Amino acid sequence: DTGVSQDPRHKITKRGQNVTFRCDPISEHNRLYWYRQTLGQGPEFLTYFQNEAQLEKSRLLSDRFSAERPKGSFSTLEIQRTEQGDSAMYLCASTLPGSLKETQYFGPGTRLLVL
Amino acid sequence: AQSVTQLDSQVPVFEEAPVELRCNYSSSVSVYLFWYVQYPNQGLQLLLKYLSGSTLVKGINGFEAEFNKSQTSFHLRKPSVHISDTAEYFCAVSEGSNYQLIWGAGTKLIIKP
C-alpha cells in the first residue's frame, strides 16, 4: 500500500493556460474523489468516480473544470483557461469498495498558483 | 443544507495542557462524523470517526471525540498535548445517503512550549 499519490505537487501557470493534474489512488480502491482547498478553508467537494463512472459532477466549479478516470485506476483533473481564482490546493482521495462510511484516504495535494 | 462550523480558527495551548476543538454541524438526518488532521506540508489523515454506537470515539495519537446529538456537536479532545500535535484539524460530516464529505474551515492547533 503506497498511499494516494498526486502529480505534480506544485504547479505555477499563467492565466489562460490549461493545466492537468493526476491522481493515483490506493490500488483496489474503486472510489476516487476530487476536492479543492483554498487558504483558510476546509476542502470543497468537486466530483467523484466509482470505477470509471463519474457519478457526480454538478459540483465542478465551472465548465472549465473536467475530470476523467478512463480505466478505473488513475484520474486526471483538467482546468482550462485558468484564472487567478483557481489558485488553490487540489486534493484527491480514494476509498475501498463498500459502504459510504468508508474512510477517505487523501493524497498530498497539488498546489496550483495562477499568475 | 448540511454545514459544519468549527468555532475557533486557532487554538493556542501550552504543551501538556488539555485541549478541546469544537465542531458543530447542521443536518436533519443521521450523519457520520469525522475528524481529520493535516500536518504541515502533508495530506489529510483520519484521526477518528463516529458511525454509530458509543458516542465517545477514540482515535489515534490519544485524541477522542464525543458525539452529542441534541447539541449537534462532535468536539475533539486530548488530555495532554505534545508539540508534535501542531497541525490543522478538520471536522467533516457525511449524511447517511450521501457520498461526499462536508468540511469545516479547520482549526489550527498551536502548541506553546
Side-chain angles (χ1 to χ4, degrees):
Chain A
D1 180 356
T2 58
V4 178
S5 62
Q6 292 187 245
D7 184 70
R9 294 290 304 276
H10 303 273
K11 178 72 177 179
I12 300 174
T13 191
K14 292 183 180 178
R15 189 174 51 187
Q17 298 294 304
N18 299 344
V19 294
T20 300
F21 309 140
R22 177 178 169 127
C23 171
D24 286 86
I26 295 172
S27 59
E28 299 174 355
H29 280 197
N30 72 341
R31 287 204 185 94
L32 186 150
Y33 301 78
W34 284 100
Y35 293 87
R36 183 179 77 158
Q37 187 179 16
T38 52
L39 215 56
Q41 298 297 319
E44 176 186 10
F45 171 80
L46 296 179
T47 187
Y48 105 102
F49 294 84
Q50 180 150 320
N51 299 311
E52 64 275 11
Q54 190 173 12
L55 298 187
E56 174 57 66
K57 56 183 179 181
S58 65
R59 299 295 189 96
L60 284 167
L61 300 162
S62 77
D63 59 8
R64 297 184 297 106
F65 287 71
S66 62
E68 291 183 342
R69 195 183 183 197
K71 297 181 181 177
S73 56
F74 73 90
S75 175
T76 57
L77 177 71
E78 182 182 16
I79 309 174
Q80 296 182 326
R81 305 181 304 280
T82 52
E83 301 172 358
Q84 288 183 325
D86 297 331
S87 296
M89 177 78 88
Y90 291 84
L91 300 170
C92 174
S94 68
T95 63
L96 282 165
S99 76
L100 299 170
K101 303 179 290 186
E102 294 296 338
T103 299
Q104 293 188 22
Y105 293 85
F106 282 82
T110 294
R111 187 172 293 284
L112 173 66
L113 178 61
V114 182
L115 301 176
Chain B
Q2 269 184 333
S3 66
V4 177
T5 303
Q6 290 184 244
L7 297 166
D8 305 297
S9 59
Q10 290 188 47
V11 172
V13 62
F14 285 104
E15 197 169 11
E16 299 183 7
V19 70
E20 178 180 83
L21 305 183
R22 296 179 292 170
C23 172
N24 288 83
Y25 66 93
S26 66
S27 176
S28 57
V29 300
S30 296
V31 295
Y32 305 126
L33 296 153
F34 304 80
W35 274 99
Y36 279 80
V37 60
Q38 190 170 34
Y39 297 104
N41 299 315
Q42 293 188 30
L44 288 154
Q45 179 183 354
L46 182 71
L47 264 183
L48 49 80
K49 60 184 177 183
Y50 170 78
L51 304 179
S52 65
S54 172
T55 57
L56 184 63
V57 180
K58 293 192 183 298
I60 62 172
N61 300 341
F63 283 93
E64 63 181 32
E66 186 155 19
F67 170 56
N68 188 319
K69 188 174 181 179
S70 62
Q71 296 187 5
T72 60
S73 68
F74 190 53
H75 300 333
L76 181 71
R77 301 186 184 101
K78 185 169 182 177
S80 175
V81 296
H82 188 265
I83 195 78
S84 60
D85 293 322
T86 299
E88 191 157 19
Y89 294 79
F90 291 91
C91 180
V93 61
S94 118
E95 287 185 337
S97 60
N98 211 334
Y99 48 80
Q100 68 197 65
L101 293 175
I102 306 299
W103 297 78
T107 298
K108 286 190 173 68
L109 180 59
I110 300 165
I111 310 298
K112 300 185 286 187

